[in-house]
Every structure is written in C-alpha cells, then in structure tokens.
Short mmCIF file of all heavy atoms in Angstrom, two decimals:
data_model
loop_
_atom_site.label_atom_id
_atom_site.label_comp_id
_atom_site.label_asym_id
_atom_site.label_seq_id
_atom_site.Cartn_x
_atom_site.Cartn_y
_atom_site.Cartn_z
N ASP A 1 35.95 -24.29 -65.96
CA ASP A 1 35.86 -24.32 -67.43
C ASP A 1 34.52 -24.91 -67.84
O ASP A 1 33.68 -25.35 -67.00
CB ASP A 1 37.05 -25.13 -68.00
CG ASP A 1 37.09 -26.60 -67.52
OD1 ASP A 1 36.03 -27.14 -67.07
OD2 ASP A 1 38.18 -27.22 -67.57
N ASP A 2 34.30 -24.90 -69.11
CA ASP A 2 33.01 -25.35 -69.63
C ASP A 2 32.69 -26.78 -69.29
O ASP A 2 31.50 -27.15 -69.07
CB ASP A 2 33.02 -25.19 -71.20
CG ASP A 2 31.69 -25.62 -71.83
OD1 ASP A 2 30.65 -25.08 -71.37
OD2 ASP A 2 31.71 -26.39 -72.78
N LEU A 3 33.69 -27.63 -69.18
CA LEU A 3 33.48 -29.05 -68.83
C LEU A 3 32.80 -29.22 -67.47
O LEU A 3 31.94 -30.11 -67.32
CB LEU A 3 34.83 -29.77 -68.91
CG LEU A 3 34.73 -31.32 -68.78
CD1 LEU A 3 33.94 -31.95 -69.88
CD2 LEU A 3 36.15 -31.92 -68.70
N ASP A 4 33.19 -28.38 -66.55
CA ASP A 4 32.69 -28.55 -65.18
C ASP A 4 31.57 -27.57 -64.81
O ASP A 4 30.94 -27.68 -63.73
CB ASP A 4 33.86 -28.36 -64.16
CG ASP A 4 34.91 -29.40 -64.32
OD1 ASP A 4 34.54 -30.57 -64.63
OD2 ASP A 4 36.11 -29.09 -64.14
N TRP A 5 31.37 -26.57 -65.64
CA TRP A 5 30.54 -25.45 -65.27
C TRP A 5 29.10 -25.85 -64.82
O TRP A 5 28.64 -25.54 -63.70
CB TRP A 5 30.48 -24.41 -66.45
CG TRP A 5 29.58 -23.25 -66.15
CD1 TRP A 5 28.28 -23.05 -66.58
CD2 TRP A 5 29.93 -22.15 -65.35
NE1 TRP A 5 27.81 -21.85 -66.06
CE2 TRP A 5 28.80 -21.23 -65.35
CE3 TRP A 5 31.08 -21.73 -64.60
CZ2 TRP A 5 28.79 -20.02 -64.68
CZ3 TRP A 5 31.04 -20.53 -63.99
CH2 TRP A 5 29.93 -19.66 -63.95
N ASP A 6 28.40 -26.56 -65.66
CA ASP A 6 27.00 -26.90 -65.38
C ASP A 6 26.89 -27.71 -64.08
O ASP A 6 25.98 -27.51 -63.27
CB ASP A 6 26.36 -27.66 -66.52
CG ASP A 6 26.15 -26.78 -67.78
OD1 ASP A 6 26.10 -25.53 -67.61
OD2 ASP A 6 26.04 -27.29 -68.88
N ASP A 7 27.78 -28.67 -63.89
CA ASP A 7 27.73 -29.54 -62.69
C ASP A 7 28.05 -28.69 -61.46
O ASP A 7 27.36 -28.87 -60.40
CB ASP A 7 28.71 -30.67 -62.78
CG ASP A 7 28.23 -31.75 -63.74
OD1 ASP A 7 27.00 -31.80 -64.00
OD2 ASP A 7 29.06 -32.55 -64.22
N GLU A 8 29.01 -27.83 -61.51
CA GLU A 8 29.41 -27.01 -60.34
C GLU A 8 28.26 -26.10 -59.98
O GLU A 8 27.96 -25.86 -58.73
CB GLU A 8 30.70 -26.23 -60.61
CG GLU A 8 31.92 -27.12 -60.71
CD GLU A 8 32.29 -27.89 -59.47
OE1 GLU A 8 31.78 -27.49 -58.35
OE2 GLU A 8 33.07 -28.84 -59.51
N VAL A 9 27.63 -25.44 -60.93
CA VAL A 9 26.51 -24.56 -60.63
C VAL A 9 25.35 -25.34 -59.99
O VAL A 9 24.76 -24.91 -59.03
CB VAL A 9 26.08 -23.79 -61.90
CG1 VAL A 9 24.72 -23.03 -61.65
CG2 VAL A 9 27.17 -22.85 -62.41
N ARG A 10 25.08 -26.49 -60.64
CA ARG A 10 23.95 -27.30 -60.09
C ARG A 10 24.21 -27.74 -58.66
O ARG A 10 23.32 -27.62 -57.77
CB ARG A 10 23.72 -28.53 -61.01
CG ARG A 10 22.69 -29.54 -60.46
CD ARG A 10 22.57 -30.71 -61.34
NE ARG A 10 23.80 -31.40 -61.53
CZ ARG A 10 24.37 -32.24 -60.69
NH1 ARG A 10 23.72 -32.52 -59.51
NH2 ARG A 10 25.47 -32.88 -60.92
N LEU A 11 25.47 -28.17 -58.36
CA LEU A 11 25.77 -28.65 -57.04
C LEU A 11 25.72 -27.47 -56.03
O LEU A 11 25.27 -27.69 -54.91
CB LEU A 11 27.20 -29.25 -57.01
CG LEU A 11 27.36 -30.59 -57.70
CD1 LEU A 11 28.83 -30.98 -57.80
CD2 LEU A 11 26.56 -31.69 -56.98
N LEU A 12 26.12 -26.32 -56.36
CA LEU A 12 26.01 -25.16 -55.51
C LEU A 12 24.55 -24.87 -55.17
O LEU A 12 24.22 -24.66 -54.04
CB LEU A 12 26.67 -23.91 -56.20
CG LEU A 12 26.40 -22.56 -55.47
CD1 LEU A 12 26.91 -22.62 -54.05
CD2 LEU A 12 27.06 -21.44 -56.23
N LEU A 13 23.73 -24.85 -56.20
CA LEU A 13 22.30 -24.52 -55.96
C LEU A 13 21.58 -25.65 -55.15
O LEU A 13 20.79 -25.35 -54.26
CB LEU A 13 21.57 -24.33 -57.27
CG LEU A 13 22.10 -23.18 -58.14
CD1 LEU A 13 21.25 -22.96 -59.42
CD2 LEU A 13 22.17 -21.86 -57.32
N GLU A 14 21.97 -26.86 -55.40
CA GLU A 14 21.39 -27.99 -54.69
C GLU A 14 21.79 -27.94 -53.18
O GLU A 14 21.00 -28.13 -52.27
CB GLU A 14 21.80 -29.31 -55.28
CG GLU A 14 21.11 -29.65 -56.57
CD GLU A 14 21.54 -31.00 -57.12
OE1 GLU A 14 22.55 -31.53 -56.66
OE2 GLU A 14 20.93 -31.48 -58.12
N GLU A 15 23.09 -27.65 -52.97
CA GLU A 15 23.63 -27.56 -51.59
C GLU A 15 22.91 -26.44 -50.84
O GLU A 15 22.47 -26.64 -49.69
CB GLU A 15 25.11 -27.35 -51.62
CG GLU A 15 25.70 -27.21 -50.25
CD GLU A 15 27.16 -26.83 -50.31
OE1 GLU A 15 27.45 -25.76 -50.84
OE2 GLU A 15 28.02 -27.58 -49.74
N ARG A 16 22.82 -25.30 -51.48
CA ARG A 16 22.21 -24.16 -50.81
C ARG A 16 20.76 -24.42 -50.44
O ARG A 16 20.29 -24.08 -49.38
CB ARG A 16 22.29 -22.93 -51.73
CG ARG A 16 22.31 -21.60 -50.96
CD ARG A 16 23.62 -21.44 -50.26
NE ARG A 16 23.70 -20.14 -49.64
CZ ARG A 16 24.78 -19.64 -49.02
NH1 ARG A 16 25.92 -20.34 -49.08
NH2 ARG A 16 24.77 -18.48 -48.41
N ASN A 17 20.06 -25.14 -51.32
CA ASN A 17 18.63 -25.43 -51.12
C ASN A 17 18.42 -26.47 -50.02
O ASN A 17 17.31 -26.69 -49.53
CB ASN A 17 18.01 -25.91 -52.43
CG ASN A 17 16.52 -25.92 -52.36
OD1 ASN A 17 15.93 -24.95 -51.87
ND2 ASN A 17 15.87 -26.95 -52.90
N SER A 18 19.51 -27.14 -49.61
CA SER A 18 19.39 -28.17 -48.52
C SER A 18 19.55 -27.60 -47.18
O SER A 18 19.26 -28.26 -46.15
CB SER A 18 20.45 -29.27 -48.75
OG SER A 18 21.77 -28.81 -48.47
N PHE A 19 20.05 -26.36 -47.09
CA PHE A 19 20.30 -25.76 -45.76
C PHE A 19 19.03 -25.15 -45.18
O PHE A 19 18.08 -24.85 -45.85
CB PHE A 19 21.37 -24.65 -45.86
CG PHE A 19 22.74 -25.16 -46.23
CD1 PHE A 19 23.63 -24.36 -46.97
CD2 PHE A 19 23.17 -26.46 -45.91
CE1 PHE A 19 24.85 -24.83 -47.32
CE2 PHE A 19 24.43 -26.91 -46.21
CZ PHE A 19 25.28 -26.06 -46.95
N SER A 20 19.00 -24.86 -43.88
CA SER A 20 17.94 -24.22 -43.22
C SER A 20 17.80 -22.80 -43.72
O SER A 20 18.78 -22.03 -43.67
CB SER A 20 18.13 -24.21 -41.69
OG SER A 20 17.29 -23.24 -41.15
N PRO A 21 16.63 -22.36 -44.25
CA PRO A 21 16.51 -20.99 -44.67
C PRO A 21 16.76 -19.99 -43.55
O PRO A 21 17.29 -18.89 -43.80
CB PRO A 21 15.04 -20.95 -45.12
CG PRO A 21 14.71 -22.34 -45.45
CD PRO A 21 15.45 -23.22 -44.45
N ASP A 22 16.35 -20.28 -42.37
CA ASP A 22 16.63 -19.35 -41.23
C ASP A 22 18.13 -19.21 -40.91
O ASP A 22 18.60 -18.06 -40.75
CB ASP A 22 15.87 -19.85 -39.98
CG ASP A 22 14.38 -19.91 -40.15
OD1 ASP A 22 13.86 -19.18 -41.01
OD2 ASP A 22 13.75 -20.66 -39.49
N ALA A 23 18.81 -20.32 -40.95
CA ALA A 23 20.25 -20.24 -40.72
C ALA A 23 20.95 -19.47 -41.82
O ALA A 23 21.89 -18.67 -41.53
CB ALA A 23 20.85 -21.64 -40.58
N LEU A 24 20.48 -19.65 -43.05
CA LEU A 24 21.12 -18.89 -44.19
C LEU A 24 20.84 -17.39 -44.03
O LEU A 24 21.67 -16.59 -44.32
CB LEU A 24 20.55 -19.39 -45.48
CG LEU A 24 21.02 -20.72 -45.99
CD1 LEU A 24 20.30 -21.17 -47.23
CD2 LEU A 24 22.53 -20.72 -46.21
N THR A 25 19.64 -17.02 -43.56
CA THR A 25 19.33 -15.61 -43.36
C THR A 25 20.35 -15.00 -42.36
O THR A 25 20.84 -13.87 -42.62
CB THR A 25 17.93 -15.45 -42.83
OG1 THR A 25 16.97 -15.85 -43.85
CG2 THR A 25 17.63 -14.02 -42.45
N GLY A 26 20.60 -15.67 -41.29
CA GLY A 26 21.58 -15.17 -40.37
C GLY A 26 23.01 -15.11 -40.89
O GLY A 26 23.76 -14.11 -40.77
N LEU A 27 23.41 -16.15 -41.62
CA LEU A 27 24.72 -16.20 -42.26
C LEU A 27 24.93 -15.06 -43.24
O LEU A 27 25.91 -14.35 -43.16
CB LEU A 27 24.91 -17.58 -42.92
CG LEU A 27 26.08 -17.65 -43.91
CD1 LEU A 27 27.36 -17.72 -43.16
CD2 LEU A 27 25.94 -18.92 -44.80
N GLU A 28 24.00 -14.97 -44.16
CA GLU A 28 24.14 -13.98 -45.25
C GLU A 28 24.16 -12.57 -44.73
O GLU A 28 24.98 -11.73 -45.13
CB GLU A 28 23.03 -14.19 -46.28
CG GLU A 28 23.10 -15.52 -46.97
CD GLU A 28 21.75 -16.04 -47.42
OE1 GLU A 28 20.73 -15.35 -47.26
OE2 GLU A 28 21.68 -17.21 -47.99
N ALA A 29 23.20 -12.25 -43.86
CA ALA A 29 23.07 -10.86 -43.36
C ALA A 29 24.34 -10.48 -42.61
O ALA A 29 24.76 -9.32 -42.70
CB ALA A 29 21.85 -10.72 -42.47
N ASN A 30 24.89 -11.39 -41.82
CA ASN A 30 26.09 -11.02 -41.09
C ASN A 30 27.37 -10.95 -41.88
O ASN A 30 28.27 -10.27 -41.57
CB ASN A 30 26.22 -11.96 -39.89
CG ASN A 30 25.29 -11.64 -38.73
OD1 ASN A 30 25.56 -10.72 -37.95
ND2 ASN A 30 24.11 -12.29 -38.68
N CYS A 31 27.46 -11.77 -42.97
CA CYS A 31 28.62 -11.74 -43.77
C CYS A 31 28.69 -10.61 -44.78
O CYS A 31 29.75 -10.27 -45.28
CB CYS A 31 28.75 -13.11 -44.52
SG CYS A 31 29.23 -14.52 -43.50
N ARG A 32 27.53 -10.05 -45.11
CA ARG A 32 27.53 -9.07 -46.18
C ARG A 32 28.10 -7.73 -45.76
O ARG A 32 28.45 -6.91 -46.61
CB ARG A 32 26.09 -8.84 -46.70
CG ARG A 32 25.68 -9.98 -47.59
CD ARG A 32 24.23 -9.84 -48.03
NE ARG A 32 23.76 -11.08 -48.65
CZ ARG A 32 22.56 -11.35 -48.99
NH1 ARG A 32 21.58 -10.46 -48.79
NH2 ARG A 32 22.23 -12.52 -49.51
N TYR A 33 28.11 -7.44 -44.46
CA TYR A 33 28.46 -6.12 -44.03
C TYR A 33 29.73 -6.16 -43.12
O TYR A 33 29.65 -6.27 -41.90
CB TYR A 33 27.32 -5.44 -43.21
CG TYR A 33 26.05 -5.33 -44.04
CD1 TYR A 33 25.04 -6.24 -43.95
CD2 TYR A 33 25.95 -4.27 -44.97
CE1 TYR A 33 23.87 -6.11 -44.68
CE2 TYR A 33 24.83 -4.11 -45.73
CZ TYR A 33 23.78 -5.09 -45.61
OH TYR A 33 22.67 -4.93 -46.40
N ALA A 34 30.88 -6.10 -43.78
CA ALA A 34 32.13 -5.91 -42.97
C ALA A 34 32.28 -4.48 -42.75
O ALA A 34 31.60 -3.61 -43.26
CB ALA A 34 33.28 -6.47 -43.81
N GLY A 35 33.28 -4.13 -41.89
CA GLY A 35 33.61 -2.69 -41.68
C GLY A 35 32.78 -2.01 -40.64
O GLY A 35 32.31 -2.68 -39.68
N PRO A 36 32.55 -0.74 -40.75
CA PRO A 36 31.96 0.02 -39.66
C PRO A 36 30.52 -0.38 -39.40
O PRO A 36 29.73 -0.77 -40.34
CB PRO A 36 31.92 1.52 -40.25
CG PRO A 36 32.94 1.48 -41.35
CD PRO A 36 32.95 0.12 -41.90
#
C-alpha cells in the first residue's frame, strides 16, 4: 500500500545494488528462461 511503497522500493533497489554484478548476471540470465 501507499504507506509502505516508497520504503519497499528503496530497500529493493539498495539490496540489489549491494550484490555482485557478476553474480547477478548469472542469476538473472538463468532465471529468465524456463522451458525448452
């Protein structure tokens, strides 16, 4: 809801920015393509 929105978005972006960019590249590329 509106009460939590700004904080939750900020926390998500801060958390993502704290991870290794290389590890994220592997995570994202492998999770995006399910199926054949």
Side-chain angles (χ1 to χ4, degrees):
D1 61 21
D2 180 51
L3 186 63
D4 296 325
W5 179 259
D6 290 339
D7 284 339
E8 293 294 344
V9 171
R10 175 182 57 80
L11 289 171
L12 169 59
L13 299 183
E14 287 179 349
E15 179 187 58
R16 208 70 179 189
N17 196 42
S18 71
F19 294 150
S20 163
D22 298 335
L24 287 175
T25 294
L27 167 72
E28 294 152 3
N30 281 280
C31 286
R32 284 178 193 171
Y33 300 99

